[in-house]
Amino acid sequence: MCKRLIFLLFVLFFFSTAAAPTPAPKKVAVKVVPKTLLVDSSNINYRHFDKHAVDKYTDDPAFNYYKNAKVQPSLWERFWNWFWELIAKLFSKGEGAGGGSVLKYVLIAATVAGVIFLLIKLIGADLSNIFSREPKQAALSYNESLENIHEINFDEEIEAALAQRNYKLAVRLLYLASLKQLNDAHLINWQIDKTNKAYLDELNNADQRQSFTVLTRQFEYVWYGNFPVDGHSFQNIRTLFIDFKKLLP
């Protein structure tokens, strides 16, 4: 009986708690802050164009990009303008005489020929074989067709070629001397009918093969490609051959 009474009290308490109304949430007042406009009070540094600098660049002819801008003729152009004006004045004086027009063209041709000849002399060109298709052959103390590297005194032949300023032949002698050095070091088997490519294929050392490839290319450019060689460029090529010799045993 006591247990039933306790159970009824528990049920009544439960339902009374569940039926109790839920309190409404409290309203929170939101404070409205009026918007204000902020004023920038920082100092402003106003910048202006430098009129003196602008005028300086405007007067500079290097910055004049107009196509119709007047360009002062060079000293060389002024000389030729004076020269042709002088020739025109000389020819105009003889126009009244008979055969003046023929004399005019003869003098023009002679003058042009003289100027061309003077320019060729100034640049040091060789006129002896200007109309020849075959290059001038250098006098050699050995049979070039055989090129027996064991019968050539390379030191004497190179110095002789340099004395004649025949740098092309000197480069060829340097290359033949390098072939002899490789053969003497037993790195290649020199044969008179072998190609440069064959010698490259015989080199097993990568550094030696790379260096000799550069020498072969320089030689072929000069000898077969008629690459111009002067005293300065020859010394650079000669340095390559000296460095290559250091790689040999």
Side-chain angles (χ1 to χ4, degrees):
M1 181 66 180
C2 183
K3 293 182 179 179
R4 292 182 180 180
L5 181 60
I6 294 173
F7 176 75
L8 286 174
L9 292 175
F10 176 79
V11 171
L12 291 174
F13 176 79
F14 175 78
F15 282 104
S16 62
T17 304
T22 304
K26 296 181 179 181
K27 295 183 179 180
V28 179
V30 178
K31 185 179 181 180
V32 179
V33 180
K35 296 182 179 179
T36 57
L37 180 64
L38 299 178
V39 180
D40 187 1
S41 60
S42 60
N43 295 327
I44 300 176
N45 184 17
Y46 294 97
R47 303 181 65 181
H48 303 278
F49 287 105
D50 188 350
K51 187 176 183 303
H52 177 71
V54 173
D55 294 339
K56 178 182 177 182
Y57 289 118
T58 303
D59 297 335
D60 192 344
F63 295 94
N64 191 350
Y65 301 109
Y66 294 102
K67 294 184 179 179
N68 57 353
K70 294 182 179 179
V71 180
Q72 294 295 332
S74 63
L75 181 62
W76 181 253
E77 293 173 342
R78 291 200 297 268
F79 166 75
W80 282 110
N81 292 336
W82 169 84
F83 175 79
W84 291 116
E85 289 177 1
L86 179 62
I87 296 299
K89 291 179 181 179
L90 293 176
F91 291 154
S92 62
K93 292 180 180 180
E95 287 293 337
S101 60
V102 177
L103 178 62
K104 173 181 177 180
Y105 293 113
V106 171
L107 290 177
I108 289 177
T111 303
V112 173
V115 172
I116 294 175
F117 178 80
L118 179 62
L119 292 176
I120 292 176
K121 283 297 183 181
L122 288 176
I123 63 178
D126 186 9
L127 298 178
S128 60
N129 60 345
I130 189 172
F131 298 108
S132 176
R133 294 185 177 180
E134 297 182 358
K136 186 177 180 181
Q137 298 295 330
L140 306 179
S141 60
Y142 61 92
N143 190 344
E144 186 184 7
S145 61
L146 295 179
E147 292 181 344
N148 192 336
I149 60 176
H150 300 291
E151 297 178 359
I152 302 174
N153 189 328
F154 288 104
D155 293 336
E156 293 182 0
E157 296 297 338
I158 291 174
E159 292 303 322
L162 293 178
Q164 300 176 7
R165 295 184 179 180
N166 193 342
Y167 301 111
K168 180 178 180 180
L169 176 60
V171 172
R172 182 181 183 86
L173 290 169
L174 285 175
Y175 188 74
L176 294 178
S178 66
L179 290 177
K180 185 176 187 303
Q181 294 165 2
L182 288 171
N183 185 79
D184 293 344
H186 304 289
L187 298 176
I188 64 170
N189 182 19
W190 179 82
Q191 296 293 333
I192 201 168
D193 55 347
K194 274 188 178 180
T195 63
N196 299 334
K197 179 65 168 55
Y199 296 127
L200 287 171
D201 294 338
E202 293 182 24
L203 294 176
N204 296 323
N205 184 279
D207 294 335
Q208 295 172 352
R209 183 168 60 253
Q210 182 179 1
S211 180
F212 192 66
T213 300
V214 175
L215 299 185
T216 303
R217 187 180 299 114
Q218 291 289 335
F219 162 68
E220 291 177 348
Y221 282 167
V222 172
W223 190 255
Y224 299 109
N226 292 324
F227 189 83
V229 184
D230 55 12
H232 178 71
S233 57
F234 173 78
Q235 292 302 327
N236 294 334
I237 296 175
R238 193 174 198 174
T239 302
L240 295 177
F241 281 91
I242 294 175
D243 294 339
F244 171 72
K245 187 176 180 180
K246 297 177 182 179
L247 298 176
L248 302 183

